[in-house]
Every structure is written in structure tokens, then in C-alpha cells.
Amino acid sequence: MIEVAVESYPFLAGVFIAVDALPGAHLVVDGPYCVAEKAELQYCHNLNSTLFSPHGLSRVLFTLQQHWVEEVNSLTADRTAALEGLLRLVQARPGVEVVLTTEFDFVHLTGAPLAAVATACSANGGPPVLALPSRSLGGDWLDGYAGVLQRLAEAVPLESGRARADAVALVGYFAERTELDHRGNLRELGALLAPFGLELCSTWLSGGQSYFDLRAVEQAGLVISLPYAREAARTLGRRLQVPVLELELPIGLGGTERFVRQLGSHLRQDDVALRLVEREAAAAVRDTERSVMRFVAGRRASLALDPHLLRAAVPLCRELGLELVVAQAVGREPSGLEVAVSEGGALDEGAPVFRVASVAHQGRRPDEVPVLFGYPNFVEHPLSERPFMGYAGFRNLCEKFATAALWHEFLAGGQSRAAPT
Amino acid sequence: MIRGRSTDVSDSVSARSASPPARRGAGVEGTLRLLALAGLGDGRLQAARVTFDAQLICIDARSRERLVHLEIGEFSPAEKCAARAGRLAVRYVGSGDDRVALGLARAAAGHLAGQRLSALVALLAVDAAPALPSGSTSASREADRLASHHEASWWHLHYPALRTNYNRLRHNLRWVRVHHASLECKDGRVRPSLAATRYFRGEPVVVRESLEVCTALGERDVLGGRTQARLHETVQGLVESASFDLVEIQSTCLPDLIGDQPAAVAGAVAQGTPHIVWQCKTDQQDRRLLRQFLDARLSRLGASGERDRTRVVLAGAEGDTATELGTWLARMGVAVEGSLLPEVDLSATAAQHRAAWLVWVDPRGWEWLGEEGLRRAFTVVEGAPPFGLQGTLAWLQRVGEVVGLVDAAARVRQLAVDIEELRLRTQARCARHRAAVIGDLSGVMATTTPQAQRPFAIVGLLREMGFEVRVLLYDPVARPVSAALRDVVGGADAVRCFATQAELDEQLGEVALALSSFNHDPRLAAHAVVGFDGASFLPGVEGFARSAARLCALAERRPFPEHRHLLRGWVQ
């Protein structure tokens, strides 16, 4: 069974990710100065982050600034005026399309009127102010990201009846950074839609589309719901009166095939799906089999990933011939997710284990082969498109596993192996 | 004598009002006049910066003992202050038993009796920097800068860090830290070992020598009133499961607000061993508990009886720097008995050193430790740290004199002769490169004097290395360049004024190096200009040479030599 998450990221981390992926959005947090320190996590993960700028405007602001030390008095003081003043200040900035506002857990406990202040500010004109009540105590980063998308889904001005049959929207894509791994993912997703005659009209979120751009979702004749914001997808489907198709992440051969086949089934184009899968899967297997068979298969793996990536990575490990020894969810345990974990001893016990996790969950153990996957990734910042979704993503993941294995073996063997004779 | 001040006024929005107050950075003249009026100009402060608005004057200073933050204002009787004098009152931020800050606050209040705040503000305004849109005087660079709004600070590149080495202490205690916090305050911070990805340049790599656990408070704990019980269970479990020397409880805003009492938990759990200390986010007077514990351990390092007054222990140095300075001192005839911090034996029960003297090499970041314990173990030698050749020679002479060398000055003169060739070689190489210091007048002036965050003058060190220093001065009103600035940077030719982003951009095209606090500064990147900051300068003679050589190498190997015209611009 899956190991219950003991490590996760806080609610605000997900909010920061969403704001970073939405150009023109600013965030005001009713809380102390450490908001900025927490947001630095995202800055380090995303080489292209615009949350902070040495010479421009910060997109993350906070209300409760004390010097050196917080005080109970300041924590409990009525900051309604301060919050409202700051929101209005941000609304007046050039280039601001939407202002999101949330709060720290202890502020939430004091019953601060976040929503009322947001409503009052929005009513005065200027960019809308969307309140996102804190879920710091009961939720985590995935709730933060989904919460922002839900507020956007409720608030973005939309007109129904503008849908096109060939346009599809992706809602619940986890745009955790605006680097070329995700640009590659979006290209791959577009490539999976194209054979069905579909065009991606809007992605929530993509990192490239601003709040105003999100209105393009009204062209969608179909909303594809990805797991990071199911409720937002349902909300948009209701508002636009278009169908919503819930799919899992297209990662790995099987994951991508399921994505394509379910889409084909929904569109009544099973033949298109079948041809696409047969063609692309065959090419992907041909391209990767040598590397997988020689360097990857027959080893063991431990996973520490967010629940949605984990759900996709478990079958991927099976495809790569790996024996799963540990699976840990970095976030709330998703319902219905069960992972059969080996009792150990079946495959090459004592050999190094692939540790498939973000940098934050790498143990730096000599008997582990680190495979960086998931959030955050401070180490890898691709400079050419490096998707991890779809068939191209499968190739990249195979390469990542193989390189990690060989590099680990090389380092373990010392320099003599590399020395010319 | 007060030798400088910094004016890096934060432009963060204050929560005190909807329209945040502008706080200005005082100039040299205003700073010196205020400190003289307040009775603080008598050498008790080594460096200070003053910022002010109509309601508040803040002094961030480095005393001989530690950093202090004083605030002068007309506070209401309900507001807690260290000392009152007529309409004015002086308070300090920090531990309630901070005798240094308390002494300074009381001295200032005594001298300022009869003064009015408005008069002090007028005094400070004589050469103050222009106001930024909003302000704070937080000593935390993160608070000041990472979250700042930068409404009008596109000309600002240098934000001195006031960091603590809290997580760099390498000790041998079985020390566990308990974070009493929700998930929100437990995580979400960067792994500091990846310094290159961070916002600010030179963030120290954290060496965590302590086990850390978190109570991970959740909704059920809060709503069920079980937060303190969670802390109790966590601490009890730690105490029962392992043998710790020290359990440090760090409480955060949420449990503080709820009213949790770590003291009660400590009292219920502790039976003498392990030692339990705590500090609450909202009451940092509790920090004295940790400091008292560490002071007691540090005080054991020195001999309790007669001490050897010919020997010294170095502090705040390790590796090559400690070795090099030890070698120079040995050549002077001073016996060095090792070094302390960041590595220290805190479990020692018997004296580790016979030396009478403790000499700081680089005191930056160790203020949190408190010097009470070290002062009980040693006599701490006062003086400027050994940065630059002249600074190192002065430091060596000071140490020599302290240990009683009658010919310390003569020995230092001989050392100066010995290193002359290195000095000339270094200067010849550096002279080929132009290094820029950029900012408004007060920001630039702050780089010409030692600061609370940096005990040396950056401009002085650059010039000593031989670099051509170019000051790019933000001056929207085109005032004449001040004589004080001309004198310290080597003449009016070294100063170029700018008022617009385009003008700054053009000037940046003429330099190879520039002082910037950011790991990635688009302003510099647009010209492949190499950034550096205070951390780029190492102490000692070899440190001087290595620092200079590295800056030269960076300048000589600027990337994209043939394609800089293709780099992305930053001007809006």
C-alpha cells in the first residue's frame, strides 16, 4: 500500500506556483514578512519566475511587516484598512490584470474579513480582487494551486455559446514553472490532440496565458480536466455548458495510451486513437528499448512524488522493468490509489535503487541513484524542450533514468574507469 | 569614531497605514550629528546606519559587542520603551535582557532629554537620501528586499545582508530543534545548499548540525485545543527516545497566538537532562535562554585559572584563512592556539585553551551567539577585522601590541616589505579592469565606509586592489558631485551620473564588474557584467590576493565576448 505522506508543501506554496504561472496576476497575503521567504522556493525552482525582480515590481506582497519580531498585538490587530490599502495600491499598478489575496493560518483563525475587503476593492473598479481563504491548516500545496484555479474559474468573465467543436481547453495542468520542460509538455499535449482535429485553445494554467487570456476557454467545445484542478474544470464546464472529460496525466507508454484512448472514445474516434497509439508507441519503444534494457531494467525504484505524478509513475516503473520498493505521496493521499510495493528481495537486492523524487526528497544516500522528478527541481533547468508527458516525454524519462544509472556507476567506480590507458 | 552609515531604505509596504510612510536614509553629516547629540559618538559604535521618517528614527548599529537596533520616537506611555526623556523615548528591538542595547538606549535617552523629534528629523534631513515610496528598517534582507515592491528602485543594486550564522555553527552537541508550527511555517523554504539558484547572491550554505522535527499542527489540533499537547508529546517523545544535550523549541505565530506555553512544556518534561530552551516568535526575550546555555558552554573553553597572555585564539575563521592568519601571527611572534567558530566544542567539560586572548577574524553573523561566554573564557581583542593589506597589517599590529610585543610596529613594517611584491602584482592585474558601484548618493557612500553588515569599505578595498572604480550615481536632480564622494573614489572623473534607465544601461556597457546583491541581475546580464558583493572579499593577505585574482579572472572571462549585442535588454 502507498505510504501516507509525511512530507508535503504548504498551502501557500501552491498559491505561489499558480500566481507565477499567471502573468499579470499579483498576490497579496495577509501575513508576516516570511511570506517572501516562502515564495523564494518557487523563484529557485523556476528560472523564469517573475514573482520577484531586482529592478521591477514584486508580484508577491504581504501586509504584516514588523521589524525583527512579530508581536501578539500585531498578529491580532485589525488590519482591514492595511489590507484594503495594499490591495488598492496593487490594483493601481500598471499591467495588473487580477489581484489574488489570501491569508496566513493564524489570520484566518482571527476571522479577518478577507472576502469582504476583496469585494469592496473589486467594486471600486480596476482589476478584480479574488479572495482565497486560507487552507493552511487543513490543506496543502495542491489545495493552494487548485484553489486559485477554482477562484479563477468562478471569476473570469465568460460568454457561453462561443464554443467551437475543434477547440479544447485543458484545465488543471500543473504549470509549476515556465521553463522548457513544460513548454515541451504543452507541445506534446497539442500533438496528442491534433490527430483528432482538435486545437488547444486555452490551458489553465500554462505560464503563458494571462488572466485576460484565460477567456479563450469560452471557445472550447470540450474541457479536458487534468487532476490538479478537477473542481475548476467542472465549474468551467457548467458555466460554458460544455462537456468535461476527466483524464489522468499522459505519462509513460500506458498513461499516454489511456489518455489518447479515453479521448478517442469520448469523441467517438477510437480508430484515430488506435492509429496514433500504434504509430507513436512503436516509435517510442524502438527509440528507447536499447537504453532501457541495458541500463534501466532489472533495478529497483523508490518514489516520492505528488499524488498525481505518483499515480502516473507507478505504471511507468513497471514499463521500465523496475521493482517498486517504496512509494510516498508528497501531498494528501488520493482516494483510490493503491500501489503494490514489493516486499523486497526479488530483484538484485543490494544494488542501487533509483530514487525518483524532487531534490527535496533525495536522501543523498550512496546506495540510491537520484532521478530528479517533480517539484521542486533546483538542479535541472532545461534549455531546450524537455517534456515528460506524451511519447516524447517517455523518451526523455528513459534517458533520465539511464543517464542517472550510468553516472552513478561511473562515480562509484572512481576515476580510473574514465582514464585513458 | 563612527565611520559610516548605510541608507538602504526598504521600499516594502508597511502595514501601519494604507499609504506607507516614506523613510529616508540619513547622510554622513546627519548621522554623525544625531549620534553626537545622542551621546553615541564616543566610539561605542563601530558603524551605524540611520533611517527616519516624521514619526520614527531608527539606528542600526554595530557596537563592539553586537548588532543593535534602536528606535527613537514620541511613543505613547502604553508603548514599552527602554528609556524616556521628556517627549522622546528610546526603545530597542531584541532580547529584553540585552544589556548592550539597554545601555545604549538609556545613554541616548539621557542625552536627548529636551529634544523634539521634529528637530532631530530636521537635523537628519540636511544630507539625507531621497525618500523611497515606502520604508522599513528591518534588519532582515529578506524582509527588506525579497518582498519589497521596488516601485522606484531600478537604480538600486546593492542590498547589504545582515545574516546570522545560526545554522552554520558546527558543534558536537546532541541538539534537536522542535519547530512548533503548522505545515505553513514548517516548510516552503529553499534548500540553501543550492545557493546559485537563490534570489540574493552569497547566501551562506547551511550546515545543519542539529536534528529538526516539527509538531506539524493541523486543523484538528487547533480546533480541538490540542496544540500544546502536541508539543508536549513531541518533546516527551524525543526525550524518551534519545539522549539529547539540548532540546530547542521554536514556537511560531500560530501557537503563540493560541497561547501555547513552551515554558510549561519544558517544565513538565525536563528533569535536568536534556536542557530545554525555547523561543517564541512573538517574544524574542526568550532567546536569552539559548544564549545563556551557549554562554555557559562557551565560558568553559578558556582556562579558569591563570591564562597565557602570549597566546591567542582566532574566532570566525576556518580553513585557509585561519591557517594563513595563524602563520602571519606566528611570524610576528604571536602564538596561535587554534580557532573557534564555526566549529566549536560545546560539550567540553574542561578548558580547551590556555590562551588569554580571543581575536575575531570575521565577526559577521556571530552576533546571535552573544559574547558573554567568550568574554568569560577569554579577553576579546577589539579592532577592525583583517580585510585588505593595510587592514590585515593593522590587525596584526593590534594583536601584537595586545600580547605585549614591544616591537609590533617594526615587525609589521617588515611584513609590509615582504608583501610589497604581491601588492604590486595584484594591482597591476586589477588596474586593467573597471569595477562599478551603483546607486544613489547615500547608497554609494555606504560602500565607502565599514557597515554593520560588512566591517570594511568596499570601495577602499577595490582601490587597494588596483581596480579602476567607477561610481554610477543616480541623481535625478543633477546636483554637483559632493566633495566627500570625490575624495573617497579618487576624483570627479570616477563619478558618472545617471537619471534614467537608458542612461544607466549605457554606463553599464563601460564596466566589467559591478556591485550587486542579486544572483541574477538583468541589468548586469544585459552587458555580461560580472556581479560581486561583500562576500567576494576574503580576510588576510592571501585572501586579499585570492579575492582580487578571482575578480580579475571573472572580468577577463566575461561570457559571450563576440555576441554581447545579442543579450536581452532590461530597459522597459
Side-chain angles (χ1 to χ4, degrees):
Chain A
M1 293 293 291
I2 195 162
E3 186 175 317
V4 175
V6 291
E7 288 285 336
S8 186
Y9 294 102
F11 176 79
L12 278 177
V15 178
F16 296 139
I17 291 169
V19 172
D20 201 21
L22 191 63
H26 281 50
L27 175 68
V28 173
V29 182
D30 194 3
Y33 67 89
C34 51
V35 166
E37 295 177 12
K38 296 172 196 303
E40 196 190 357
L41 179 76
Q42 175 64 12
Y43 180 87
C44 297
H45 169 68
N46 183 10
L47 194 64
N48 300 325
S49 173
T50 55
L51 290 180
F52 309 106
S53 165
H55 62 86
L57 301 172
S58 168
R59 292 206 284 135
V60 175
L61 303 91
F62 52 90
T63 58
L64 188 57
Q65 183 161 353
Q66 289 289 317
H67 310 146
W68 300 69
V69 61
E70 307 299 344
E71 296 164 348
V72 169
N73 284 347
S74 65
L75 298 182
T76 54
D78 179 6
R79 286 186 306 284
T80 306
L83 176 62
E84 189 169 338
L86 187 51
L87 287 170
R88 290 188 195 284
L89 191 75
V90 175
Q91 281 181 292
R93 284 178 169 183
V96 174
E97 295 185 8
V98 64
V99 184
L100 288 143
T101 182
T102 186
E103 58 203 345
F104 253 63
D105 44 20
F106 62 84
V107 177
H108 185 65
L109 284 180
T110 61
L114 188 77
V117 172
T119 302
C121 288
S122 293
N124 283 335
V129 178
L130 309 181
L132 182 68
S134 172
R135 288 209 57 209
S136 289
L137 284 174
D140 66 10
W141 64 315
L142 299 176
D143 298 299
Y145 188 82
V148 171
L149 266 67
Q150 175 61 17
R151 289 297 291 119
L152 294 170
E154 293 164 350
V156 169
L158 295 176
E159 285 180 34
S160 61
R162 301 185 63 192
R164 292 188 284 119
D166 65 343
V168 62
L170 273 181
V171 178
Y173 178 80
F174 195 43
E176 21 101 342
R177 63 182 179 183
T178 49
E179 293 189 26
L180 289 170
D181 42 2
H182 284 274
R183 191 191 293 176
N185 275 350
L186 294 175
R187 190 185 301 278
E188 271 299 294
L189 286 162
L192 296 179
L193 298 174
F196 299 102
L198 295 176
E199 183 189 16
L200 196 53
C201 67
S202 182
T203 303
W204 291 43
L205 299 167
S206 69
Q209 290 180 303
S210 71
Y211 179 74
F212 292 152
D213 297 333
L214 293 181
R215 293 185 64 169
V217 74
E218 63 193 17
Q219 299 169 28
L222 169 67
V223 170
I224 293 179
S225 164
L226 292 178
Y228 292 93
R230 297 286 194 209
E231 186 58 36
R234 285 192 280 269
T235 299
L236 287 170
R238 277 195 302 274
R239 289 186 65 192
L240 296 170
Q241 299 177 334
V242 297
V244 176
L245 177 63
E246 293 193 356
L247 298 176
E248 294 298 322
L249 300 176
I251 291 177
L253 292 173
T256 303
E257 180 174 339
R258 276 188 293 280
F259 181 94
V260 171
R261 283 182 172 273
Q262 287 176 20
L263 180 59
S265 174
H266 176 84
L267 298 170
R268 300 176 191 270
Q269 296 186 49
D270 297 283
D271 52 334
V272 174
L274 184 60
R275 283 198 298 277
L276 172 62
V277 167
E278 283 180 348
R279 183 180 71 243
E280 294 299 329
V285 169
R286 265 199 316 274
D287 290 347
T288 57
E289 50 130 351
R290 215 173 266 207
S291 183
V292 170
M293 297 300 289
R294 288 179 66 175
F295 309 133
V296 181
R299 297 171 184 259
R300 296 178 297 160
S302 72
L303 309 177
L305 299 166
D306 80 61
H308 310 303
L309 269 189
L310 187 66
R311 191 189 294 270
V314 169
L316 172 70
C317 285
R318 293 199 189 106
E319 289 165 0
L320 299 181
L322 299 173
E323 183 176 275
L324 202 55
V325 290
V326 173
Q328 182 188 33
V330 182
R332 290 166 302 122
E333 186 179 4
S335 60
L337 176 58
E338 292 189 0
V339 180
V341 177
S342 164
E343 294 297 322
L347 271 180
D348 202 6
E349 192 172 2
V353 176
F354 284 115
R355 175 65 173 166
V356 186
S358 76
V359 289
H361 291 84
Q362 293 291 348
R364 304 187 194 202
R365 293 169 42 161
D367 59 343
E368 286 183 347
V369 180
V371 175
L372 294 180
F373 196 35
Y375 183 91
N377 190 341
F378 307 140
V379 176
E380 295 172 329
H381 299 278
L383 301 178
S384 58
E385 290 192 4
R386 303 285 291 172
F388 54 85
M389 290 184 174
Y391 293 105
F394 178 73
R395 290 179 176 85
N396 284 329
L397 289 171
C398 290
E399 180 185 312
K400 188 180 272 215
F401 275 84
T403 304
L406 291 172
W407 188 235
H408 184 271
E409 188 178 329
F410 173 78
L411 292 177
Q415 292 189 346
S416 59
R417 285 190 179 194
T421 55
Chain B
M1 176 182 173
I2 304 300
R3 294 192 293 175
R5 51 100 183 119
S6 161
T7 55
D8 64 323
V9 184
S10 165
D11 44 0
S12 298
V13 167
S14 163
R16 291 177 186 169
S17 65
S19 179
R23 188 161 296 147
R24 308 172 66 185
V28 173
E29 186 180 343
T31 300
L32 293 178
R33 287 172 64 182
L34 173 76
L35 295 175
L37 257 183
L40 302 177
D42 57 358
R44 277 187 284 186
L45 302 183
Q46 294 177 334
R49 70 169 185 172
V50 175
T51 51
F52 66 99
D53 58 26
Q55 283 81 41
L56 192 67
I57 297 170
C58 301
I59 305 173
D60 286 302
R62 176 188 288 279
S63 75
R64 281 195 295 265
E65 290 87 356
R66 64 173 64 103
L67 299 173
V68 292
H69 177 85
L70 301 177
E71 295 184 346
I72 302 169
E74 294 178 342
F75 304 119
S76 72
E79 292 182 89
K80 189 178 174 184
C81 292
R84 291 182 182 276
R87 300 166 66 98
L88 287 177
V90 183
R91 65 188 185 190
Y92 62 90
V93 180
S95 166
D97 66 347
D98 187 335
R99 63 170 181 80
V100 175
L102 183 61
L104 292 170
R106 285 179 176 163
H111 283 81
L112 292 174
Q115 295 284 346
R116 298 182 68 121
L117 186 67
S118 57
L120 298 180
V121 167
L123 177 152
L124 290 170
V126 293
D127 62 342
L132 293 176
S134 56
S136 82
T137 57
S138 168
S140 158
R141 181 163 68 171
E142 285 72 20
D144 257 2
R145 298 300 165 207
L146 187 55
S148 65
H149 306 284
H150 297 281
E151 292 280 8
S153 55
W154 52 266
W155 65 86
H156 212 138
L157 284 83
H158 182 46
Y159 302 104
L162 190 59
R163 64 172 61 103
T164 145
N165 291 332
Y166 184 65
N167 282 317
R168 284 191 62 217
L169 185 69
R170 295 206 300 271
H171 55 81
N172 52 357
L173 289 182
R174 290 159 297 178
W175 181 343
V176 59
R177 289 196 181 116
V178 180
H179 297 277
H180 190 32
S182 68
L183 181 63
E184 199 64 73
C185 294
K186 172 201 169 211
D187 217 329
R189 296 194 181 196
V190 196
R191 286 210 160 191
S193 58
L194 290 151
T197 64
R198 302 195 66 179
Y199 190 56
F200 286 115
R201 174 192 304 280
E203 290 294 330
V205 172
V206 170
V207 181
R208 292 194 187 280
E209 292 289 321
S210 306
L211 177 67
E212 307 211 3
V213 298
C214 182
T215 51
L217 303 175
E219 212 161 33
R220 288 180 191 168
D221 302 312
V222 174
L223 297 179
R226 293 194 68 256
T227 52
Q228 182 151 322
R230 281 294 292 269
L231 178 63
H232 186 279
E233 289 163 10
T234 304
V235 175
Q236 183 81 51
L238 287 167
V239 169
E240 289 174 355
S241 64
S243 175
F244 291 105
D245 299 308
L246 178 67
V247 177
E248 178 193 355
I249 301 170
Q250 293 193 343
S251 186
T252 54
C253 294
L254 175 68
D256 283 8
L257 191 61
I258 291 171
D260 283 2
Q261 298 291 329
V265 171
V269 172
Q271 304 295 326
T273 304
H275 197 86
I276 299 180
V277 299
W278 61 92
Q279 52 185 283
C280 296
K281 182 75 175 171
T282 58
D283 183 4
Q284 295 195 0
Q285 291 194 26
D286 292 332
R287 282 178 187 267
R288 73 184 187 279
L289 300 172
L290 177 60
R291 201 158 59 225
Q292 284 167 359
F293 174 84
L294 294 173
D295 278 342
R297 296 297 179 117
L298 291 169
S299 68
R300 298 177 190 171
L301 296 172
S304 54
E306 182 134 351
R307 294 170 183 172
D308 186 341
R309 299 185 65 78
T310 68
R311 302 163 79 91
V312 303
V313 169
L314 302 179
E318 59 181 331
D320 291 345
T321 298
T323 304
E324 187 221 330
L325 290 167
T327 304
W328 285 113
L329 285 170
R331 283 185 61 181
M332 287 274 295
V334 177
V336 178
E337 207 185 52
S339 60
L340 294 175
L341 304 175
E343 188 155 354
V344 63
D345 180 359
L346 290 175
S347 65
T349 52
Q352 300 292 298
H353 298 281
R354 288 186 296 126
W357 307 99
L358 181 114
V359 186
W360 279 104
V361 174
D362 190 349
R364 287 177 290 180
W366 295 111
E367 294 83 1
W368 68 274
L369 202 57
E371 285 196 338
E372 295 290 329
L374 291 176
R375 285 181 184 279
R376 287 203 290 273
F378 308 98
T379 302
V380 177
V381 178
E382 308 287 354
F387 285 91
L389 296 182
Q390 293 305 317
T392 302
L393 292 173
W395 180 84
L396 289 168
Q397 182 170 336
R398 173 83 178 126
V399 177
E401 289 168 350
V402 161
V403 301
L405 295 179
V406 290
D407 57 348
R411 294 187 191 207
V412 164
R413 278 196 296 276
Q414 181 55 49
L415 293 181
V417 171
D418 294 347
I419 63 175
E420 181 63 7
E421 188 188 337
L422 178 144
R423 185 181 69 83
L424 293 174
R425 200 170 56 241
T426 300
Q427 289 181 339
R429 186 177 178 192
C430 293
R432 297 199 291 266
H433 305 294
R434 186 179 290 148
V437 173
I438 305 159
D440 54 29
L441 180 60
S442 53
V444 167
M445 288 302 291
T447 66
T448 65
T449 52
Q451 299 292 303
Q453 308 91 336
R454 165 181 38 79
F456 55 86
I458 286 179
V459 166
L461 264 185
L462 287 171
R463 294 191 67 197
E464 190 179 5
M465 287 173 170
F467 287 104
E468 179 192 344
V469 174
R470 172 73 59 87
V471 170
L472 304 183
L473 183 66
Y474 174 63
D475 185 10
V477 294
R479 288 173 296 196
V481 175
S482 79
L485 179 59
R486 281 203 311 266
D487 291 346
V488 292
V489 300
D493 283 351
V495 182
R496 303 292 161 86
C497 296
F498 66 91
T500 67
Q501 296 186 22
E503 288 172 358
L504 172 60
D505 195 47
E506 186 180 342
Q507 296 286 350
L508 283 169
E510 298 180 4
V511 303
L513 302 160
L515 180 64
S516 170
S517 299
F518 299 98
N519 261 321
H520 173 71
D521 192 325
R523 293 163 288 196
L524 304 189
H527 300 278
V529 171
V530 178
F532 66 92
D533 69 355
S536 305
F537 300 94
L538 302 172
V541 173
E542 286 300 322
F544 173 86
R546 281 206 307 274
S547 306
R550 183 166 185 278
L551 288 174
C552 285
L554 290 170
E556 289 155 6
R557 292 169 180 76
R558 293 162 60 199
F560 301 115
E562 307 296 330
H563 300 87
R564 287 187 192 138
H565 61 287
L566 299 176
L567 292 170
R568 187 187 312 184
W570 65 278
V571 177
Q572 306 297 319

